[in-house]
Amino acid sequence: MTYRLVALYGHPEDPADFDRHYREVHVPLALEMPDLQRYSYGHCSSADGSRPPHYLVATLDFPSAETVGAIFGSDLGARIQADVAAFATGGATLTGFDLVEAGPAGR
């Protein structure tokens, strides 16, 4: 089973500063998380060209929800959360779920 953590970032006050900090500081910090299986992220867009509700979305895969809980209860987790508070001026929402593959690879 895979547990997927999703981070939804709101539109920052300074997109260039957000992007720089995210790439140079936050990603390397997040990559220190033990048992991280996959980490991907991207800037949001909308099909009709309107402003999307989120600026950036990141997905992080772990073996279990318990793994994520242990990480966020650790010193590293506290550093990651403090970093998000320092650069995510548009806010950030975290949610997670047990990943179910529905297709086509999951067929």
Side-chain angles (χ1 to χ4, degrees):
M1 183 66 69
T2 297
Y3 184 81
R4 179 161 288 169
L5 184 66
V6 179
L8 305 162
Y9 293 94
H11 292 271
E13 294 169 7
D14 183 339
D17 188 52
F18 176 99
D19 290 345
R20 180 201 55 76
H21 186 100
Y22 193 83
R23 273 190 324 272
E24 296 176 10
V25 178
H26 194 70
V27 169
L29 184 61
L31 289 173
E32 293 180 28
M33 289 187 280
D35 298 317
L36 176 65
Q37 298 172 329
R38 182 178 179 198
Y39 183 7
S40 58
Y41 66 91
H43 290 91
C44 298
S45 61
S46 62
D48 65 3
S50 64
R51 183 179 182 184
H54 304 292
Y55 179 72
L56 185 134
V57 173
T59 61
L60 299 87
D61 291 349
F62 297 90
S64 67
E66 292 77 20
T67 302
V68 174
I71 292 167
F72 280 95
S74 71
D75 289 341
L76 175 60
R79 289 189 356 242
I80 291 169
Q81 292 174 68
D83 186 54
V84 169
F87 80 91
T89 57
T93 301
L94 291 178
T95 190
F97 55 92
D98 289 322
L99 187 62
V100 177
E101 297 288 346
R107 287 187 204 166

